[in-house]
Amino acid sequence: MDLWQLWEKKTGVPVRLTATNWDDAQRMIKAGEADVIDMIFRTPPREAFYEFSQPYAELPVAIYSHASISGINGVSTLKGFQVGVQAGDACIDILQSNGITTLVFYRNYGELLAAARNQEIKVFCLDEYPANFYLYKLNARSELRKAFELYRGQFHRAVRKGQGDMLRLVEVGMAKITPDERQVLHEKWFGEPLDFMPYARSIGWVALFLLGGGGVLLAWSLVLRRQVAARTQTLNQTLLKLQEAHRATEEMSQHLAAILAAIPDMLFELDADGRYLGVFANPSMLLVAPRDSLIGRRVDEVLPLDAARSVHEAIAIALRDGADYGREVCFEINGQLHWFELSTARKAAVADLPHVLMLSRDVTARRESEQALLKAREEAIVHERDKRIRALFDAAPVGLAYVKGNVIESLNQQFVAIFGYQADDIPTLDDWWRRAYPDPAYRQTVVATWEGLIKKALAGDGEVESREYRVRTKSGRDLDMLIGGKVLEDGMIATLTDISQLKSVQAALNEAKEAAEAANMAKSTFLANMSHEIRTPMNAILGYAHLLRRGELTAEQGDRLTKIGTAGEHLLAVINDILDISKIEAGKMVLEETDFALSAILDHVQSLIANSARAKGLTVRIDYGNVPSILRGDPTRLRQGLLNFANNAVKFTERGTVTIRARLLEESESGLLIRFEVSDTGIGISAQQRAGLFRAFQQVDASTTRKYGGTGLGLAITQRLARMMGGDAGVESQPGLGSTFWFTARLRRGLLAESAETRDQSSPESMIRLHYAGTRILLVEDDSINQEVALALLEDTGLKVDVADNGWQAVAKATETDYALILMDMQMPEMGGIEATQAIRQLPARQWTPIVAMTANAFDEDRERCIAAGMSDFIPKPVDPEVLYQTLVRWLSNSSH
């Protein structure tokens, strides 16, 4: 305070001093509430916030510990402790930079020391000089002791970053304070030493006067007597004080001797080379050599090599850092091993030679107690571990046996429960082999297998491969067991798992699987036969209807033929739906991947429902949305799903509109997610009725089926097709307000481009009549009615048609005649179409003759069988005349005829 008042006087700048704790002081500087902070240590983290003056004093900062702990002798030994610090202290930065982050903050030294005395913390950091003051004041030096010097800090004055002018003003003002002025302040606060020179001068003058003459001496005797008396009184008082100081010193020495005699530790004074300069120990204390023989000798001459090396290290660290604590040495005394804990502190240099004081405490009893406690703890841990292992061993859900050599040392409860054997029943492996495998031949096989697996495990990772064995229990029951194990250092653990029930279940599952596969095969066979048997007559019905419509008909006849065709198409749609749902359930539905135009899907669906919608007075609209015009996917299944929705929309709408639309929902690297939907203004569906809409063979209710017809398969098929295409299907509807049925599919952008060439707009039938009239083809068909229908359709175009009733005739005719094309049925007597095709392909000149299957076998696998046999194309029955003519044009144009 006096220093800053003197600075104020020198600079003329008024000063207002604020006393507060470090944390608040630094906060005030950073907040601009104060300009200068004094007596602050400079640390790297603080350099970001402050500008510092030159150092003007140095102060050691130490780590202190509670007397109840030891071994704190360096920063690394602080790890694991909570270290107490005053908030804002520089030692926080030092500790954190050394990786010590478990800090406990206190507002001031008083609170910090109170926490340490209450053992809330065991270790704390303090500036050494204030710490000595507080420890002395609190009489806490026996409780709290210095562990080691953390670092030596230098006092600076500091200002906020960017306030360099203020710092220069502070430095200039301090420079104006002269050394004499600083000495006056020092004498004011630290006192003035006693000066004996005045007394010496007085005595000199007395002697001089005595030599000058008796007269003068007599004249001045009274004056001098008074002066001498005064000086004598002063000297007597000084001597009295010196005697008191000597007596206090003697008492202190006696007190120190008593303390040294009372403490259970030895105290040694050593120089930097480890030479004993002083030994302080009770006669009862154990010394490595007699006290008198130690003085002047080096520790290397007295102690074993390891102990001497530790003492030298302690001396070096104490001389460098001020102290070294917690180091232990061990050596024999009188044939018994003893442990000593060393605490070393640097002593003020004597004649410029550094010395240390080393306190040595015999901690042998403590170490023996700790080792005994550790051993007891380890034994308890081992015992507890053995108990837990045994509990786990017994609780295992499989049989376990611990085997050592040929001896079975332990069995778990599950082993006993499975086999009925106790440990006494099968003490060795030989007993186990004999009881578990009573058949000698099987036993020999099992033993040989087991020993081979053990050798393999020993050569590998110790795992004994599990194998299946048939094992006899004590009750005589045979069990299927899976037996393996793990080879350990002193034996092995064998694991025995009962799989008898599992094998029974597996056998039952195999039987069920075979039955299911047989049932599925029977269903597939039935569906294939049913399809074939229905499609064959349907081919004749629809074929004759088509041929009759070509002739002259009355209006009534035309109407009836239309109804026949409609009924036939409806029946065919039912058959196709049944086949589709069967293929989807069997996982045999395969999606096509081809480029197509979006308009080809939406426009085609519109054309298919146009007549029925027009008949009811409905308007059909198309909305292409923001979907790319060319896509890649399965156009047939997309068209099928939309047509299912569109047919239902027309069926359940009496007036208004039907809208077919597409929407692009998202586009990513993996492709497009497109929503296809059909909206109508029909009767609508309630929420309760919507719940079962997409289940196979299920409609809204029985009255719907009676009024509108249908099998209830269309929606189920559409939903399953949508899920196969990576999407889903659903409905949004309100009774009386119409419905919107939708499905989504993941597709990709297509690469198909519209051709700029002019296409032939002629129908396929007219093209055959124009370009291929008189061309000879072979029709292979065993059904006479279907022969008649096919001949009428083919000969009407001008083609020359030969007929074969079965495969044998087809091969014979193909051998004799070079046909431009062969139409081949699949199922025929004597030889079917597959065998006939394979035989024709063996003919030298018939390898490239187009062979087109025309069959009622409409499954995908039927198509694949036809192509695999060498056929060129596939037309399902009932034959659509338009499809037939298109196929003929395509293959006749590729033929060499």
Side-chain angles (χ1 to χ4, degrees):
M1 182 181 296
D2 289 345
L3 181 67
W4 278 101
Q5 288 175 350
L6 187 58
W7 183 93
E8 179 180 31
K9 181 178 179 182
K10 294 286 185 178
T11 62
V13 177
V15 174
R16 179 170 60 86
L17 299 175
T18 302
T20 183
N21 59 55
W22 271 114
D23 200 30
D24 288 341
Q26 295 183 70
R27 179 193 57 76
M28 291 173 65
I29 291 293
K30 293 176 183 178
E33 298 173 4
D35 298 310
V36 183
I37 186 169
D38 203 350
M39 301 174 67
I40 185 170
F41 288 170
R42 184 171 187 165
T43 65
R46 288 178 174 178
E47 289 178 350
F49 303 101
Y50 300 102
E51 293 188 18
F52 292 89
S53 69
Q54 293 298 316
Y56 60 86
E58 186 174 83
L59 181 68
V61 179
I63 296 296
Y64 293 81
S65 64
H66 196 273
S68 61
I69 65 170
S70 61
I72 307 300
N73 55 18
V75 176
S76 61
T77 62
L78 297 179
K79 293 184 178 179
F81 286 95
Q82 288 188 320
V83 181
V85 295
Q86 178 182 240
D89 252 354
C91 69
I92 296 172
D93 296 334
I94 303 300
L95 290 170
Q96 289 180 341
S97 68
N98 282 276
I100 307 302
T101 57
T102 52
L103 307 179
V104 183
F105 298 89
Y106 296 91
R107 290 184 301 175
N108 50 55
Y109 283 172
E111 292 183 3
L112 176 58
L113 290 168
R117 297 188 73 187
N118 293 332
Q119 298 193 47
E120 296 174 11
I121 52 172
K122 294 284 189 178
V123 184
F124 58 95
C125 178
L126 278 184
D127 295 349
E128 188 168 331
Y129 298 155
N132 292 337
F133 169 76
Y134 277 105
L135 294 178
Y136 177 81
K137 179 180 178 182
L138 297 172
N139 195 24
R141 286 174 295 178
S142 61
E143 299 176 55
L144 308 175
R145 63 188 183 186
K146 176 182 174 182
F148 64 91
E149 183 176 296
L150 179 63
Y151 70 103
R152 299 185 74 84
Q154 294 179 323
F155 279 158
H156 298 259
R157 300 178 183 94
V159 298
R160 286 191 308 282
K161 206 72 172 177
Q163 297 292 320
D165 293 341
M166 175 64 71
L167 184 61
R168 284 189 289 275
L169 176 62
V170 170
E171 292 282 65
V172 169
M174 290 297 175
K176 291 180 178 180
I177 300 175
T178 66
D180 291 340
E181 290 171 329
R182 292 180 183 273
Q183 181 63 31
V184 169
L185 292 179
H186 184 274
E187 292 174 357
K188 174 181 178 181
W189 287 100
F190 297 101
E192 183 178 1
L194 183 63
D195 187 1
F196 286 94
M197 290 302 298
Y199 306 109
R201 286 194 297 270
S202 298
I203 295 172
W205 280 111
V206 170
L208 182 63
F209 285 134
L210 288 175
L211 292 175
V216 177
L217 177 63
L218 182 62
W220 288 93
S221 62
L222 294 176
V223 175
L224 291 177
R225 187 178 299 171
R226 290 191 187 96
Q227 290 178 346
V228 170
R231 297 292 189 272
T232 301
Q233 183 180 3
T234 300
L235 289 173
N236 288 335
Q237 290 176 350
T238 301
L239 290 174
L240 182 61
K241 289 181 181 180
L242 289 174
Q243 291 172 354
E244 290 176 354
H246 178 71
R247 189 165 48 252
T249 301
E250 288 291 329
E251 291 177 356
M252 182 62 69
S253 298
Q254 295 174 3
H255 181 64
L256 179 59
I259 291 175
L260 290 174
I263 62 174
D265 301 327
M266 294 168 283
L267 182 64
F268 303 96
E269 183 175 354
L270 302 105
D271 64 13
D273 293 329
R275 182 174 286 101
Y276 290 99
L277 303 177
V279 178
F280 308 92
N282 288 332
S284 61
M285 293 181 179
L286 289 174
L287 289 173
V288 70
R291 182 184 318 185
D292 294 340
S293 66
L294 290 176
I295 302 299
R297 298 173 66 187
R298 297 175 69 247
V299 294
D300 311 74
E301 304 173 57
V302 176
L303 300 178
L305 180 62
D306 290 342
R309 184 183 300 114
S310 294
V311 171
H312 278 296
E313 290 175 357
I315 293 172
I317 293 175
L319 291 175
R320 184 192 68 193
D321 299 336
D324 179 76
Y325 299 108
R327 191 180 302 274
E328 290 187 351
V329 295
C330 179
F331 48 86
E332 284 188 2
I333 299 179
N334 299 330
Q336 185 178 357
L337 200 64
H338 284 265
W339 288 87
F340 297 90
E341 183 181 79
L342 307 180
S343 300
T344 310
R346 182 176 57 209
K347 184 181 178 182
V350 178
D352 295 330
L353 297 177
H355 291 182
V356 298
L357 292 177
M358 180 176 290
L359 198 67
S360 175
R361 173 172 295 181
D362 189 343
V363 294
T364 304
R366 187 188 76 190
R367 286 296 300 262
E368 290 176 348
S369 299
E370 290 175 351
Q371 290 175 355
L373 179 61
L374 181 61
K375 182 178 179 181
R377 184 180 302 169
E378 289 176 349
E379 290 176 352
I381 291 172
V382 170
H383 178 68
E384 184 65 24
R385 183 188 63 196
D386 290 344
K387 284 175 57 180
R388 292 180 181 177
I389 291 175
R390 184 69 215 187
L392 291 172
F393 188 74
D394 283 334
V398 299
L400 296 177
Y402 176 64
V403 182
K404 198 169 182 179
N406 190 46
V407 179
I408 301 176
E409 292 200 347
S410 184
L411 304 174
N412 75 339
Q413 295 177 357
Q414 187 66 15
F415 185 100
V416 175
I418 293 173
F419 299 107
Y421 294 120
Q422 298 290 340
D424 295 339
D425 297 329
I426 47 173
T428 67
L429 278 177
D430 294 334
D431 295 306
W432 165 252
W433 299 132
R434 188 177 61 259
R435 288 174 175 268
Y437 308 101
D439 179 42
Y442 183 55
R443 182 194 312 145
Q444 185 177 0
T445 302
V446 171
V447 172
T449 302
W450 180 256
E451 290 177 349
L453 293 174
I454 293 293
K455 289 181 180 179
K456 184 178 178 181
L458 289 171
D461 59 359
E463 291 288 340
V464 181
E465 180 184 348
S466 295
R467 293 284 182 90
E468 186 177 330
Y469 304 92
R470 190 75 172 168
V471 182
R472 178 72 54 84
T473 66
K474 188 175 183 178
S475 64
R477 188 162 60 100
D478 289 334
L479 298 176
D480 292 306
M481 302 296 300
L482 194 65
I483 304 178
K486 176 71 175 180
V487 177
L488 307 175
E489 292 182 0
D490 57 348
M492 71 162 296
I493 292 286
T495 60
L496 303 95
T497 306
D498 185 0
I499 59 172
S500 302
Q501 185 176 2
L502 179 63
K503 292 200 69 175
S504 299
V505 172
Q506 185 177 3
L509 287 175
N510 289 337
E511 292 179 5
K513 179 182 178 184
E514 291 173 0
E517 289 175 349
N520 191 50
M521 181 65 70
K523 183 181 77 170
S524 298
T525 302
F526 168 75
L527 288 173
N529 291 335
M530 181 196 74
S531 172
H532 183 273
E533 292 304 320
I534 294 176
R535 287 176 182 276
T536 299
M538 282 300 301
N539 186 58
I541 293 170
L542 295 178
Y544 277 126
H546 176 78
L547 293 172
L548 287 173
R549 277 199 294 271
R550 291 187 172 208
E552 294 182 3
L553 301 172
T554 65
E556 183 179 4
Q557 291 171 332
D559 180 61
R560 290 177 178 177
L561 284 173
T562 299
K563 290 178 179 177
I564 290 173
T566 301
E569 294 291 345
H570 177 71
L571 180 58
L572 184 61
V574 171
I575 295 170
N576 288 336
D577 284 347
I578 292 173
L579 293 179
D580 281 346
I581 199 73
S582 174
K583 285 188 283 187
I584 291 173
E585 289 178 347
K588 295 182 179 180
M589 176 70 73
V590 179
L591 295 176
E592 186 181 3
E593 188 77 10
T594 186
D595 291 349
F596 62 90
L598 176 65
S599 58
I601 302 294
L602 304 188
D603 294 352
H604 187 213
V605 172
Q606 181 191 34
S607 67
L608 292 176
I609 66 169
N611 290 336
S612 56
R614 192 180 303 112
K616 297 181 73 170
L618 302 176
T619 300
V620 180
R621 296 174 179 166
I622 296 179
D623 182 358
Y624 297 100
N626 55 344
V627 179
S629 59
I630 304 299
L631 302 171
R632 184 171 183 79
D634 191 331
T636 302
R637 298 308 174 187
L638 294 172
R639 188 182 298 112
Q640 181 180 353
L642 271 177
L643 187 57
N644 280 333
F645 288 167
N647 282 331
N648 283 342
V650 174
K651 184 191 300 184
F652 294 103
T653 303
E654 297 301 326
R655 64 180 63 84
T657 60
V658 173
T659 303
I660 304 169
R661 66 171 63 92
R663 290 283 183 272
L664 177 61
L665 299 184
E666 64 180 54
E667 181 173 7
S668 63
E669 293 181 0
S670 60
L672 313 171
L673 180 63
I674 299 176
R675 170 170 164 139
F676 297 91
E677 61 184 40
V678 177
S679 299
D680 62 57
T681 56
I683 60 176
I685 309 168
S686 68
Q688 182 178 2
Q689 293 169 329
R690 292 197 297 270
L693 267 184
F694 289 90
R695 297 175 187 167
F697 302 103
Q698 186 166 338
Q699 290 192 335
V700 173
D701 55 33
S703 63
T704 301
T705 305
R706 288 194 299 271
K707 181 176 181 181
Y708 297 103
T711 62
L713 288 175
L715 295 181
I717 291 172
T718 300
Q719 186 182 60
R720 298 184 192 190
L721 288 174
R723 288 174 179 172
M724 288 180 66
M725 291 187 284
D728 206 345
V731 61
E732 301 161 2
S733 182
Q734 291 186 18
L737 298 179
S739 305
T740 296
F741 283 82
W742 58 267
F743 71 88
T744 55
R746 291 199 176 273
L747 308 172
R748 288 186 289 173
R749 288 181 178 269
L751 302 176
L752 181 67
E754 291 293 331
S755 175
E757 299 178 1
T758 304
R759 300 184 181 274
D760 189 347
Q761 300 299 321
S762 302
S763 67
E765 182 180 356
S766 62
M767 289 181 66
I768 294 172
R769 190 174 291 111
L770 177 63
H771 298 291
Y772 304 107
T775 300
R776 184 169 295 281
I777 68 173
L778 176 63
L779 171 65
V780 187
E781 174 63 66
D782 67 308
D783 186 86
S784 59
I785 297 177
N786 282 329
Q787 280 184 7
E788 186 178 341
V789 172
L791 280 171
L793 291 173
L794 295 169
E795 290 177 344
D796 194 41
T797 63
L799 294 171
K800 297 296 183 181
V801 184
D802 291 343
V803 178
D805 294 332
N806 56 53
W808 287 115
Q809 293 181 17
V811 175
K813 289 180 179 291
T815 303
E816 299 170 357
T817 306
D818 185 11
Y819 294 107
L821 183 141
I822 300 173
L823 293 171
M824 180 75 72
D825 191 15
M826 282 187 67
Q827 290 189 356
M828 296 179 294
E830 299 185 31
M831 178 184 281
I834 297 293
E835 294 82 0
T837 298
Q838 292 171 338
I840 292 171
R841 289 298 185 212
Q842 297 300 317
L843 298 175
R846 304 294 180 262
Q847 294 181 359
W848 307 110
T849 300
I851 303 176
V852 178
M854 193 165 67
T855 176
N857 293 12
F859 282 98
D860 288 337
E861 50 265 35
D862 295 323
R863 179 190 296 270
E864 293 170 1
R865 286 173 57 206
C866 291
I867 300 302
M871 294 187 185
S872 308
D873 212 333
F874 185 95
I875 301 174
K877 292 178 182 178
V879 175
D880 184 340
E882 189 69 17
V883 174
L884 173 62
Y885 294 144
Q886 288 176 352
T887 305
L888 290 173
V889 168
R890 181 166 62 254
W891 289 106
L892 288 173
S893 64
N894 293 332
S895 175
S896 60
H897 291 273

